[in-house]
Amino acid sequence: MNQRLFEFISASPTAFHAVTTVARTLDAAGYTRLSEADAWELTPGKSYYVTRNSSSLIAFRVPSSDFSGFMMTAAHGDAPCFKIKENALLEDQTYVRLSAEKYGGMLCAPWMDRPLGIAGRVILRTPSGIDTRLVDLGHDEEGHPVTNAVIPSVAIHMNRNANDGASYNPNVDMVPLTGMAGSVRSLYKAVADRLGAEEKDVLTADLYVYNPQPGTEWNGLISAPRLDDQQCVFACMTGFVDSAPAGDTGSMPVLCVFDNEEVGSQTRQGAASTFLWDVLLRTADRLGLTREDLMRRLASSLMLSCDNGHAIHPNHPEYVDKNHTVKPNGGVVIKYNAGQKYTSDGITAALFRMVCEEAGVPYQLYANRADMAGGSTLGNISGTQVSVPTVDIGLAQLAMHSSYETGGADDTAFMVRALTRFYLKSLTMSGDGTYLLR
């Protein structure tokens, strides 16, 4: 399972690539791709997916008969990295660097002194408009990592205080070096050559600096780039596809992969957008359901907001709440927060615990220390657009928002098993706070 996860992560250096990787899996499983610009024709018993901005994706299976509600998972395909600016090359007499800015809140130090790649999407001129192509300069044609840049540290001899509470100015300390003066092609020339296009046809691009290092399994642990949150994307996708052969379950299974979670989700393709609502509304309309029919089904729905959580740190156990420590290989993490940064409450957590128990999957409970603010994730943001009961879950990991993160070797399989079982269930609300989970 972990080798499949590593292959997924290597194929997904950006959110654009992650969505393409998910789409290819769905294509191979017989799903039909829809376009937001086209009229939809949906057939009971068939499976579909739609993308927005090429960086978010929603997939669903239409039941052959009536259904009680939607069983949904949501994860995000983006990760902290560096976005390359439009006028990127900074060249002096000695070096060529890349003008870039931080995307998301990352740990800066782990990005330094390691080989980095460049990937993203390229916008090409066509005779009648534009076309979008993906590019990954951080891997060669055979998939082997290639160094495109490095962010060099200042030697300890020149900065004797480097290990004493260091701070990093992203405009000074975190500028990627891409080569020596006179030896670096135009960035657009490089991507055009990789795509077999002409540089003059490259209008612009959304390019990112990322870590191309492959994942590895070692001593009961796994380490890889972008475990937050592509480990959950992989698990959601796998559970969604693996549950399909069971046929109708009395619900409509829905898979959501959102972009821009790391920068707040306030985009047309983020969890705060209308993307999920638009898909559900159009689906209901094509199936002949009224607005009231849709609202009734949403009341009998459940969403799993899937995003990794913080494992107890081996060197700093003081950072966790003593009664809510989670560890690698401890199973799926259910996350709680009184301020609703995590959406789990008694009802939704109870329903998910029942799923885990039926699947034979261990689970553990996480809450921040009361004097430490935590991050937020997809569930509470998505809930402002589509109001459904939601529980926040994830897997325990170390070094969240580092360029290379670590988790438990058993946990990917635990999550896949739990999500597969979840997609086989249906939920019926018989009264406020009373549900039947079948």
Side-chain angles (χ1 to χ4, degrees):
M1 185 68 72
N2 287 326
Q3 186 55 45
R4 290 171 56 195
L5 169 66
F6 298 152
E7 291 169 359
F8 179 90
I9 291 173
S10 290
S12 306
T14 71
F16 305 114
H17 291 80
V19 160
T20 296
T21 305
V22 173
R24 286 172 178 164
T25 300
L26 297 175
D27 289 338
Y31 287 67
T32 298
R33 182 166 191 155
L34 303 171
S35 170
E36 289 194 281
D38 295 337
W40 290 6
E41 294 295 334
L42 305 181
T43 302
K46 299 296 184 180
S47 305
Y48 303 89
Y49 72 93
V50 59
T51 64
R52 179 177 286 184
N53 190 51
S54 302
S55 61
S56 290
L57 177 149
I58 295 176
F60 56 94
R61 295 197 294 271
V62 179
S64 298
S65 55
D66 196 15
F67 61 99
S68 62
F70 304 94
M71 300 298 275
M72 300 184 282
T73 65
H76 66 90
D78 62 321
C81 59
F82 293 89
K83 189 175 191 303
I84 299 173
K85 294 181 181 179
E86 188 69 16
N87 295 323
L89 293 186
L90 303 170
E91 186 167 7
D92 58 29
Q93 292 182 344
T94 306
Y95 299 114
V96 181
R97 298 176 299 151
L98 292 172
S99 180
E101 56 187 325
K102 292 167 62 178
Y103 175 90
M106 77 272 287
L107 292 166
C108 286
W111 283 88
M112 307 181 86
D113 306 318
R114 66 164 61 244
L116 300 173
I118 295 172
R121 68 175 176 183
V122 181
I123 314 303
L124 297 174
R125 186 195 318 272
T126 67
S128 56
I130 63 172
D131 188 23
T132 302
R133 303 273 297 278
L134 295 187
V135 68
D136 179 9
L137 301 179
H139 290 87
D140 63 20
E141 300 292 350
E142 285 74 41
H144 303 121
V146 174
T147 300
N148 303 138
V150 69
I151 302 173
S153 300
V154 175
I156 191 69
H157 313 79
M158 298 175 181
N159 182 11
R160 295 290 181 178
N161 298 320
N163 296 322
D164 302 327
S167 62
Y168 300 93
N169 183 328
N171 198 55
V172 177
D173 302 304
M174 305 306 297
V175 182
L177 170 68
T178 193
M180 299 299 293
S183 66
V184 178
R185 294 175 293 171
S186 155
L187 188 56
Y188 285 177
K189 172 65 173 171
V191 298
D193 288 348
R194 174 59 69 91
L195 296 175
E198 297 291 332
E199 183 181 6
K200 63 180 177 60
D201 290 330
V202 179
L203 292 170
T204 187
D206 295 307
L207 297 174
Y208 298 83
V209 176
Y210 77 97
N211 178 12
Q213 185 174 351
T216 183
E217 183 171 342
W218 57 283
N219 296 343
L221 296 167
I222 59 171
S223 295
R226 302 180 293 285
L227 285 181
D228 172 27
D229 189 35
Q230 290 185 7
Q231 187 177 25
C232 286
V233 173
F234 171 81
C236 290
M237 174 194 73
T238 305
F240 180 73
V241 172
D242 286 356
S243 64
D248 285 0
T249 61
S251 66
M252 179 181 289
V254 180
L255 167 69
C256 306
V257 180
F258 289 116
D259 191 10
N260 302 131
E261 190 275 345
E262 298 294 0
V263 292
S265 297
Q266 302 289 325
T267 61
R268 64 180 290 267
Q269 60 274 356
S273 74
T274 62
F275 187 26
L276 177 57
W277 173 250
D278 294 343
V279 171
L280 296 181
L281 185 61
R282 293 182 70 172
T283 299
D285 179 71
R286 292 293 84 197
L287 296 179
L289 301 178
T290 66
R291 179 68 67 94
E292 182 172 327
D293 292 334
L294 174 59
M295 302 309 293
R296 291 177 61 197
R297 283 160 179 77
L298 288 175
S300 292
S301 299
L302 182 62
M303 173 179 278
L304 307 184
S305 170
C306 304
D307 201 353
N308 279 357
H310 303 289
I312 184 170
H313 197 282
N315 302 329
H316 290 282
E318 70 274 15
Y319 289 146
V320 300
D321 182 284
K322 291 182 179 179
N323 286 348
H324 297 90
T325 61
V326 298
K327 61 184 181 180
N329 297 323
V332 180
V333 175
I334 304 175
K335 302 188 289 184
Y336 296 84
N337 178 259
Q340 287 296 285
K341 295 293 187 181
Y342 305 134
T343 59
S344 309
D345 61 21
I347 290 174
T348 60
L351 291 170
F352 184 68
R353 289 189 195 197
M354 293 173 66
V355 171
C356 288
E357 290 167 1
E358 186 175 318
V361 171
Y363 58 84
Q364 43 191 341
L365 311 178
Y366 176 83
N368 292 310
R369 275 179 44 151
D371 58 353
M372 296 182 69
S376 62
T377 185
L378 300 166
N380 63 335
I381 297 172
S382 177
T384 64
Q385 297 294 331
V386 180
S387 180
V388 295
T390 304
V391 56
D392 270 283
I393 65 171
L395 295 173
Q397 71 165 81
L398 298 167
M400 186 175 289
H401 288 198
S402 176
S403 65
Y404 207 64
E405 301 165 329
T406 295
D410 298 334
D411 285 334
T412 307
F414 284 147
M415 181 68 101
V416 169
R417 202 159 80 216
L419 297 186
T420 303
R421 177 59 59 179
F422 169 78
Y423 274 125
L424 295 173
K425 310 297 288 184
S426 65
L427 188 70
T428 303
M429 175 183 173
S430 58
D432 193 8
T434 304
Y435 294 89
L436 177 63
L437 183 67
R438 293 178 291 188

